[in-house]
Amino acid sequence: VGLTVAALGAQVTQTDLFPEAVQLARRNAVLNGLSGTRQVAGDWLHWPFRARWPVILGNDLTYERESHAFLLGVLEQALTDGGVAYLADRGRPMTLDFLARAERQGWEVGLDALPGSTSAEPAYLYRFRR
């Protein structure tokens, strides 16, 4: 996701908990000739950034229910006022739990089926705003 928007000209900070994934993202940016990206290891339990962004993109982030509160905390801290987070997922049951938790905490949540999504292979884009 990050490399795609970087290719469109956005300044991108990519994060992952695992240093190996961060290194792979960095290597992919170099191999694709993309500047304007940085890759940083980031743990939702101890979020390392003070920066805030108007748009946050994520994919496949809600598969562990134990991390839902921490992910919402990061979104709360990292989104600018009026910002929006877009998270893509395959429609897992635990994602529905995440959406319900977000709504209970005052988030406005929207969802759209992604192009090519089918009942056999669903894919959704969820929007989160305060």
Side-chain angles (χ1 to χ4, degrees), residues 2 19 27 30 32 36 39-40 43 49 64-65 72 77 84 91 94 96 103-104 122 128:
R27 179 166 167 74
V30 169
N32 286 281
Q39 295 76 24
V40 181
D43 183 347
F49 300 101
E64 291 183 1
R65 284 184 178 93
L72 284 172
Q77 178 183 338
V84 61
M94 61 283 282
L96 298 177
E103 287 181 328
R104 284 192 306 272
F128 298 84

Side-chain angles (χ1 to χ4, degrees), residues 27-77:
R27 179 166 167 74
N28 281 333
V30 169
L31 288 173
N32 286 281
L34 298 172
S35 59
T37 67
R38 71 178 180 149
Q39 295 76 24
V40 181
D43 183 347
W44 296 339
L45 278 68
H46 308 285
W47 191 238
F49 300 101
R50 291 184 185 204
R52 297 178 77 199
W53 293 275
V55 178
I56 295 176
L57 306 174
N59 183 46
D60 200 27
L61 299 178
T62 58
Y63 54 88
E64 291 183 1
R65 284 184 178 93
E66 304 81 36
S67 68
H68 289 176
F70 300 109
L71 175 55
L72 284 172
V74 167
L75 294 179
E76 182 76 40
Q77 178 183 338

Side-chain angles (χ1 to χ4, degrees), residues 96-111:
L96 298 177
D97 293 346
F98 179 75
L99 299 176
R101 178 185 280 244
E103 287 181 328
R104 284 192 306 272
Q105 292 184 10
W107 289 88
E108 176 188 322
V109 178
L111 74 112

Side-chain angles (χ1 to χ4, degrees), residues 14-16 18-27 39-42:
Q14 294 176 288
T15 67
D16 198 287
F18 300 104
E20 302 83 7
V22 171
Q23 291 169 357
L24 180 60
R26 186 175 297 123
R27 179 166 167 74
Q39 295 76 24
V40 181

